Amino acid sequence: MHSAQFVICGAGIIGLTIARELLASGADSIIIFDKEEAVGKHASGRNSGVLHAGIYYDPGTLKARMCLEGNRLMQSYCESRQLPLFNSGKVIVTRSEEELDTLDELQQRATQNGGVVEMIDQKRLAEIEPNATTVQRALHSPLTAVVDPKTILQSLQRDLEASGKVQFFFNTPFEQADENKILTTQDAIGYEYFINAAGAYSDTIAKAFGVGKNYRLLPFKGIYHVLKKPAAKKIQGSIYPVPNIRNPFLGIHFTRNVHGDVYVGPTAIPAFGRENYGILKGIDREFFSILLRDIEMLLENEKFRNIAAEEPRKYLFKHFFNDARKLVKYLAPHDLLPSPKVGIRPQLINTKSKELVMDFVVQGRANTLHILNSISPAFTSSMSFARMVVKEHIGL
């Protein structure tokens, strides 16, 4: 049986940054195991790469507390390792006068969270992002940046392995919990302390330890298109809409990545599997239980009903294009090309209140810790979040 002082389930950004922080705090041995063959095969390696700047989140929440510091730490890490980093900035534009009050609310939240934002008029918007359009005014976030998530994940893996204290076990799915050991399809793994950072499967693993009984994850699918090169040249950085701040989704937006490609998306379509990246691909034996949870949320939660009514239409190009078209002055249907880029957002719901959970959730029991709802801005926040976890929950 393999064993280590700390055993982490999940080789995504949360698992890797927690391991990194554990090493910095004096950990002697760490095992990270994952059911996939490499790091970051799901949400961590499939996100847009945007480092957010603390704008959207209720002051006092973990997201608000971690986002800005996480942005700074991640940028510093990229600079120290000479990893791709694009200080793109971001504008948030309005599509109607009714969204102006929410734009003001976003400015207030950003300021309370310690962010740097500027309310700008249409003339200033045209200087920053010439193709963006807005009603009266927009919000500019100069601290928003873009990175390459996969290069960061691979760099973190190299750092951890170079320490001589971290082992990676890939192709090793979790099967069940036993006393101070994990049973996997490969072998048993003993631990002094176990950390569940399994992303889309974190709720099922938590339940194996009797944790998070009132939580379930619902998957939402994010599909993208990519702009043809002539149209892509008209996008300087990132253009976002004013979101519905009662929901955890930011809406279809434009993002220029570190390689110069401009992606449009993602959607937030209710999915029928934790890895339902295609139409049918990734639908498994959980289909009926996920469908049942969707039906329950449709009946009980108005916000979910609105999402379920609006988002699936964006599978149709016409509706996807119409959403994107509202953010810019010039965009033609032929400018948008299909993209294989697809992500799954594992959104936590409270099964008692039938509400979408808006913040990160950390729950512990005995010598185990469970990271639930590690959704955006989890990648941005990860290095700050890892510090908090190790200091406040593990006590190192």
Side-chain angles (χ1 to χ4, degrees), residues 57-121:
Y57 320 113
D58 275 327
T61 60
L62 288 175
K63 288 185 177 183
R65 178 181 162 191
M66 308 293 166
C67 185
L68 271 174
E69 184 187 28
N71 177 308
R72 179 182 62 79
L73 291 171
M74 190 67 79
Q75 290 203 47
S76 177
Y77 180 80
C78 289
E79 290 167 354
S80 69
R81 301 299 193 278
Q82 296 183 317
L83 302 178
L85 174 64
F86 174 36
N87 295 111
S88 62
K90 173 170 74 175
V91 293
I92 302 173
V93 299
T94 58
R95 294 158 292 190
S96 67
E97 289 187 2
E98 287 73 23
E99 291 183 335
L100 290 170
D101 287 343
T102 304
L103 193 70
D104 292 335
E105 171 68 17
L106 292 177
Q107 183 184 31
Q108 292 170 15
R109 287 187 178 191
T111 301
Q112 287 180 267
N113 293 338
V116 177
V117 292
E118 179 188 7
M119 192 68 73
I120 58 176
D121 59 18

Side-chain angles (χ1 to χ4, degrees), residues 87-372:
N87 295 111
S88 62
K90 173 170 74 175
V91 293
I92 302 173
V93 299
T94 58
R95 294 158 292 190
S96 67
E97 289 187 2
E98 287 73 23
E99 291 183 335
L100 290 170
D101 287 343
T102 304
L103 193 70
D104 292 335
E105 171 68 17
L106 292 177
Q107 183 184 31
Q108 292 170 15
R109 287 187 178 191
T111 301
Q112 287 180 267
N113 293 338
V116 177
V117 292
E118 179 188 7
M119 192 68 73
I120 58 176
D121 59 18
Q122 292 172 323
K123 180 180 178 182
R124 178 64 179 141
L125 175 64
E127 294 171 355
I128 297 170
E129 197 67 69
N131 196 26
T133 185
T134 196
V135 177
Q136 295 186 24
R137 45 198 166 87
L139 201 61
H140 178 224
S141 167
L143 297 184
T144 299
V146 181
V147 296
D148 183 334
K150 291 181 180 179
T151 64
I152 290 172
L153 292 159
Q154 291 160 2
S155 177
L156 287 168
Q157 180 184 1
R158 289 193 297 270
D159 291 347
L160 294 170
E161 289 176 327
S163 73
K165 298 179 179 180
V166 181
Q167 290 179 281
F168 284 86
F169 294 168
F170 293 111
N171 300 306
T172 306
F174 175 97
E175 283 204 324
Q176 66 184 75
D178 203 345
E179 186 175 358
N180 290 330
K181 65 177 180 286
I182 300 298
L183 304 182
T184 76
T185 57
Q186 303 298 322
D187 206 344
I189 305 174
Y191 62 84
E192 294 178 26
Y193 201 101
F194 173 74
I195 300 165
N196 167 15
Y201 295 89
S202 59
D203 61 330
T204 62
I205 291 173
K207 285 175 181 56
F209 292 85
V211 176
K213 294 180 180 180
N214 294 329
Y215 292 116
R216 295 288 188 279
L217 284 169
L218 270 183
F220 288 81
K221 185 183 305 184
I223 61 174
Y224 293 81
H225 285 73
V226 64
L227 287 186
K228 285 184 179 178
K229 291 301 181 184
K233 291 179 180 178
K234 297 176 182 176
I235 307 298
Q236 305 301 308
S238 291
I239 305 173
Y240 279 62
V242 169
N244 180 346
I245 56 176
R246 294 178 298 173
N247 288 335
F249 308 107
L250 299 182
I252 286 175
H253 49 268
F254 293 76
T255 301
R256 176 177 288 276
N257 71 9
V258 294
H259 306 294
D261 300 311
V262 175
Y263 283 89
V264 187
T267 58
I269 300 168
F272 296 112
R274 298 173 194 251
E275 299 175 24
N276 180 206
Y277 297 118
I279 299 295
L280 297 177
K281 183 181 179 181
I283 294 178
D284 55 22
R285 62 186 180 183
E286 275 198 285
F287 169 78
F288 290 107
S289 62
I290 290 173
L291 180 61
L292 179 60
R293 292 202 288 274
D294 282 343
I295 292 170
E296 289 175 346
M297 291 294 287
L298 279 169
L299 295 174
E300 301 286 344
N301 187 287
E302 182 181 359
K303 290 183 288 187
F304 183 85
R305 279 198 299 275
N306 292 337
I307 294 167
E310 177 66 24
E311 288 292 322
R313 298 191 302 169
K314 296 173 189 175
Y315 264 127
L316 300 176
F317 180 81
K318 172 185 174 182
H319 296 287
F320 187 102
F321 173 79
N322 286 341
D323 249 33
R325 177 69 182 85
K326 294 173 184 176
L327 308 184
V328 293
K329 297 171 184 174
Y330 308 107
L331 186 71
H334 60 77
D335 292 330
L336 289 172
L337 299 174
S339 170
K341 184 180 175 72
V342 181
I344 294 289
R345 177 192 180 104
Q347 172 64 50
L348 200 67
I349 60 169
N350 186 311
T351 55
K352 278 194 171 181
S353 66
K354 299 296 190 293
E355 291 292 333
L356 303 175
V357 179
M358 299 293 283
D359 204 5
F360 305 140
V361 175
V362 182
Q363 293 195 338
R365 182 174 183 180
N367 57 339
T368 74
L369 194 69
H370 304 269
I371 315 300
L372 306 174

Side-chain angles (χ1 to χ4, degrees), residues 22-44:
L22 286 170
L23 285 180
S25 300
D28 294 323
S29 60
I30 301 170
I31 288 174
I32 301 173
F33 72 98
D34 196 289
K35 71 182 183 67
E36 302 295 349
E37 73 277 7
V39 297
K41 297 298 288 185
H42 296 289
S44 294

